[in-house]
Amino acid sequence: MEAIRERVRQFWGRLGAWQRAALVSGVVLAAAAVVVAFAARGQEYVPLFTDLQPADAGDVVARLEEDGIPYRFSGDGRTILVPGDQVHRLRLMLAAEGLPTGGVVGMEVMDQFQFGATEFERRMNRLRALQGELTRTIRQVEGVEDARVHIVLPEESLFISQRQPASAAVLVRMKPGRTLSAEQVAAITYLVAGSVEGLEPEAVTIVDSNGTVMSTPGSAGALEPPSGTLTQLDIQQRFQAQLQESVQSLLEQVFGPGNVAARVVAELNFDESVIDRELFEPADPEGLLRSVQELEERFEGTGQPAAFPGTDSNLAIPTYPAGAGAQDATYQRTESTRNYELNQIRERIVVAPGKVRRLSVSVVINDDRLTQAQLDAVRATVAAAIGLDPQRSDQISVIGMAFDTSVADRLREAMEAEEEAQRQAARQRLYVYGAAAGLVLILALAVLIAVRRARARRLEEEALLQRLESEIARRQEAAEESDEAEEARRQLEELARQKPERMAQIVRAWLAQE
């Protein structure tokens, strides 16, 4: 180390005034460039929390100021930005402290012991904690951006007839482009009802931020638990969506994505009918003989045959005895009855609900220059795709007109502006890093040039000193060791030690004279 310091000291001593100034300036500029580059990189701010409530934003800012952490605001003060290299640590630290609370308090309010609190205050704190916990839970539902829960718990009464049921209301704010499905509405309803003692699902009201009532008290149809079956409205909507997707995907392959809008309205018959039919027909052309009954009567002799029991014997037909000369008589009667089997067919036809009663399809194409032949071709294509049945009075409407793309254009411009800002920031960082690298390179070149110049000057001075010493020796010999020569030698040595540049000029002058 001592040798290194000595070499540095000798190097510094050999430098001239302007060389020392240039070296110091280069080192300062390089250090400043490095500091600026690292500072610009370290001050890249990213969102810590977005869309905060004012109370939560104040709590978070107070905590950041307490630790001396730099921050910035964005989005009307609802978004807090912090340095990117600290965002994860700060989130974990604030989460451990329960921040942000989301504008509500949960069960942590029960940890705050209040001496002398009344029963009413304890009851209200419990209600606030229950509402806050439900709010935090509902915010975890997919698509829900924010929520508020209000619970009404009636006063307890000793008389059953005077007891009032509990009720609750939920306000949800959805993320852009998202809506609550029927399953999510039912899930939130039963979540709230199952978390509050004595609260029935029919007493829960869910409203979105647009004022649309998603479920009302007593709406049993929307509050039925999922059982694997679909309602008639769900079946109709799914059928319509399937046909709409089929038509739109088919036409977009021809006119391009985003250039076709299709809507399908299906009228379904959900009546369930049962048809019972009983048919009789012969088993074969001749028939299948089931039973045969044959009756044969025969009489031979004089007189009339005795009557057989039956209808004929009951007829009051007088008979007269035959005379003495009566002749012999013969009587014969044959009767046959045949019974044939018949095929008996019993049919029970159950017509399931959901039969298509009528379809109405509307198609709009983003082109106002379509000819009638092209519109007819599209209409025929759509009719074949949906299974058009003229007997059902199905309708298809196909028109061509220019779409209004102003909203999409604004969104695209906003996205392009954001991307351009990101590219500009990246370019600025690249410029800073490039400038820092350039300054470091310039400093390195300046140091290299200074070192080379110092080395060349040192070699030149050494050569001059050698020549000076030889000249002094020659003059000393010529002056036979006189006092003047000694004095001149001493002055020359002193001059060479103090002002080597001046001594070099004198030597050059002597050499020029010779």
Side-chain angles (χ1 to χ4, degrees):
M1 290 297 296
E2 187 65 28
I4 295 176
R5 284 197 296 269
E6 184 63 25
R7 293 181 62 183
V8 171
R9 189 179 300 109
Q10 292 177 0
F11 171 74
W12 182 260
R14 287 194 298 268
L15 294 177
W18 67 272
Q19 293 176 340
R20 295 177 182 179
L23 182 59
V24 172
S25 301
V27 172
V28 171
L29 289 176
V34 173
V35 170
V36 169
F38 279 98
R41 181 181 179 183
Q43 291 181 356
E44 183 179 358
Y45 283 75
V46 297
L48 177 64
F49 296 110
T50 60
D51 199 16
L52 290 174
Q53 298 293 334
D56 289 338
D59 295 339
V60 172
V61 167
R63 187 66 180 85
L64 294 178
E65 290 179 348
E66 182 180 348
D67 291 349
I69 300 173
Y71 62 90
R72 293 178 184 175
F73 288 108
S74 178
D76 298 333
R78 300 172 66 90
T79 300
I80 299 179
L81 307 177
V82 295
D85 56 348
Q86 303 184 33
V87 60
H88 300 296
R89 180 180 66 83
L90 292 177
R91 285 177 181 172
L92 294 176
M93 180 189 70
L94 295 174
E97 298 180 4
L99 294 176
T101 62
V104 295
V105 293
M107 287 299 175
E108 64 271 11
V109 73
M110 307 302 294
D111 299 335
Q112 302 174 1
F113 177 75
Q114 296 179 356
F115 183 76
T118 62
E119 179 63 25
F120 176 77
E121 292 176 344
R122 287 193 293 269
R123 188 167 177 270
M124 291 304 298
N125 286 337
R126 177 176 174 273
L127 183 61
R128 290 176 57 200
L130 184 58
Q131 294 178 160
E133 293 296 332
L134 285 173
T135 298
R136 294 173 180 174
T137 305
I138 295 174
R139 286 174 180 171
Q140 304 301 318
V141 177
E142 183 180 1
V144 176
E145 184 174 5
D146 196 4
R148 291 297 300 270
V149 179
H150 303 277
I151 300 174
V152 178
L153 295 177
E155 295 288 341
E156 297 182 358
S157 176
L158 298 176
F159 300 98
I160 298 178
S161 60
Q162 295 181 358
R163 293 180 181 177
Q164 298 294 328
S167 61
V170 181
L171 174 66
V172 293
R173 179 157 58 92
M174 304 301 297
K175 295 179 180 178
R178 304 296 298 272
T179 57
L180 279 179
S181 62
E183 291 81 3
Q184 290 176 320
V185 172
I188 294 175
T189 300
Y190 281 95
L191 171 67
V192 176
S195 303
V196 181
E197 182 181 1
L199 179 61
E200 297 294 333
E202 291 78 8
V204 179
T205 303
I206 301 178
V207 183
D208 64 5
S209 57
N210 296 324
T212 303
V213 180
M214 310 299 294
S215 70
T216 57
S219 57
L223 300 179
E224 292 181 356
S227 59
T229 59
L230 298 175
T231 63
Q232 296 181 3
L233 182 60
D234 293 334
I235 296 175
Q236 182 173 351
Q237 290 178 348
R238 293 192 177 188
F239 180 71
Q240 294 177 167
Q242 182 179 2
L243 288 182
Q244 178 178 320
E245 177 65 22
S246 175
V247 173
Q248 188 154 350
S249 62
L250 174 63
L251 296 181
E252 282 184 347
Q253 294 182 4
V254 180
F255 298 99
N259 292 324
V260 177
R263 295 295 182 269
V264 177
V265 177
E267 183 180 350
L268 304 181
N269 184 9
F270 292 99
D271 296 337
E272 183 178 356
S273 59
V274 179
I275 301 175
D276 291 330
R277 294 191 303 177
E278 189 171 358
L279 303 177
F280 296 92
E281 60 183 11
D284 50 40
E286 295 181 358
L288 181 63
L289 185 61
R290 182 178 64 178
S291 63
V292 178
Q293 181 178 359
E294 294 182 355
L295 178 63
E296 183 177 356
E297 297 179 2
R298 214 178 261 186
F299 174 76
E300 294 180 357
T302 58
Q304 292 184 353
F308 292 92
T311 306
D312 295 339
S313 61
N314 295 327
L315 297 178
I317 300 176
T319 60
Y320 302 94
Q327 298 178 356
D328 294 334
T330 300
Y331 170 78
Q332 181 178 359
R333 184 171 73 94
T334 302
E335 181 178 349
S336 176
T337 302
R338 296 174 178 269
N339 294 323
Y340 292 91
E341 287 287 358
L342 297 177
N343 285 341
Q344 183 178 0
I345 302 175
R346 293 181 180 180
E347 294 182 349
R348 184 178 182 87
I349 303 174
V350 179
V351 180
K355 182 180 180 181
V356 179
R357 183 179 295 171
R358 188 168 179 268
L359 287 177
S360 297
V361 182
S362 298
V363 177
V364 181
I365 302 174
N366 185 20
D367 190 352
D368 54 358
R369 296 171 297 178
L370 294 177
T371 62
Q372 186 61 39
Q374 291 175 329
L375 294 177
D376 293 340
V378 173
R379 187 177 294 105
T381 302
V382 174
I386 67 172
L388 179 69
D389 187 358
Q391 297 181 356
R392 294 194 307 238
S393 300
D394 295 346
Q395 293 182 354
I396 298 179
S397 174
V398 180
I399 60 175
M401 62 176 59
F403 286 1
D404 181 12
T405 59
S406 57
V407 176
D409 293 340
R410 287 196 298 269
L411 291 176
R412 185 174 60 256
E413 292 174 358
M415 294 177 62
E416 291 177 355
E418 184 178 357
E419 292 177 356
E420 181 62 27
Q422 294 178 355
R423 288 194 294 267
Q424 184 67 22
R427 284 196 296 267
Q428 290 179 356
R429 289 193 297 268
L430 183 62
Y431 294 156
V432 172
Y433 299 153
L439 289 176
V440 172
L441 180 60
I442 293 173
L443 175 60
L445 291 176
V447 171
L448 180 61
I449 293 173
V451 170
R452 295 184 64 180
R453 287 183 177 179
R455 182 180 300 174
R457 185 173 295 277
R458 180 172 56 82
L459 295 175
E460 183 180 356
E461 289 177 354
E462 291 178 355
L464 290 175
L465 287 176
Q466 290 178 0
R467 296 177 65 180
L468 180 61
E469 291 177 355
S470 63
E471 180 67 21
I472 292 173
R474 186 180 65 80
R475 292 190 177 227
Q476 286 177 351
E477 292 177 357
E480 297 178 350
E481 305 269 347
S482 61
D483 294 338
E484 294 179 357
E486 181 67 22
E487 181 65 22
R489 187 182 65 81
R490 187 184 63 79
Q491 291 179 358
L492 289 175
E493 290 180 355
E494 184 69 21
L495 180 61
R497 284 193 302 269
Q498 295 181 356
K499 296 181 179 180
E501 297 178 358
R502 179 61 179 168
M503 189 62 190
Q505 294 177 357
I506 294 173
V507 172
R508 291 192 189 97
W510 288 348
L511 294 176
Q513 291 176 1
E514 294 178 356

